[in-house]
Amino acid sequence: MTKHMTRKQLDSRVVDEIDKNLRQAFDDMAQQPVPDRFTDLLAQLRASEDKAKRGGDENV
């Protein structure tokens, strides 16, 4: 029974370590600025949506 408990404790430590590392990686990534390429793509998408809305209104 002790061996099983030790394995359980070990598994718990491994899970805790993985959790800690994943949280740290996510926090680090979340602090990074959005790349210019993505902001440019978002601007293009917004412009395209705006153009489609204006075009749709003119046809009504």
Side-chain angles (χ1 to χ4, degrees), residues 8-23:
K8 201 175 205 180
Q9 290 171 343
L10 178 61
D11 288 347
S12 178
R13 286 188 198 168
V14 169
V15 169
D16 288 346
E17 190 67 22
I18 290 170
D19 183 58
K20 182 179 90 172
N21 288 333
L22 285 173
R23 288 178 190 272

Side-chain angles (χ1 to χ4, degrees), residues 14-44:
V14 169
V15 169
D16 288 346
E17 190 67 22
I18 290 170
D19 183 58
K20 182 179 90 172
N21 288 333
L22 285 173
R23 288 178 190 272
Q24 183 64 45
F26 178 79
D27 288 345
D28 290 346
M29 186 62 89
Q31 297 300 319
Q32 298 295 319
V34 176
D36 290 340
R37 180 170 181 251
F38 291 135
T39 55
D40 292 345
L41 288 171
L42 287 171
Q44 290 174 8

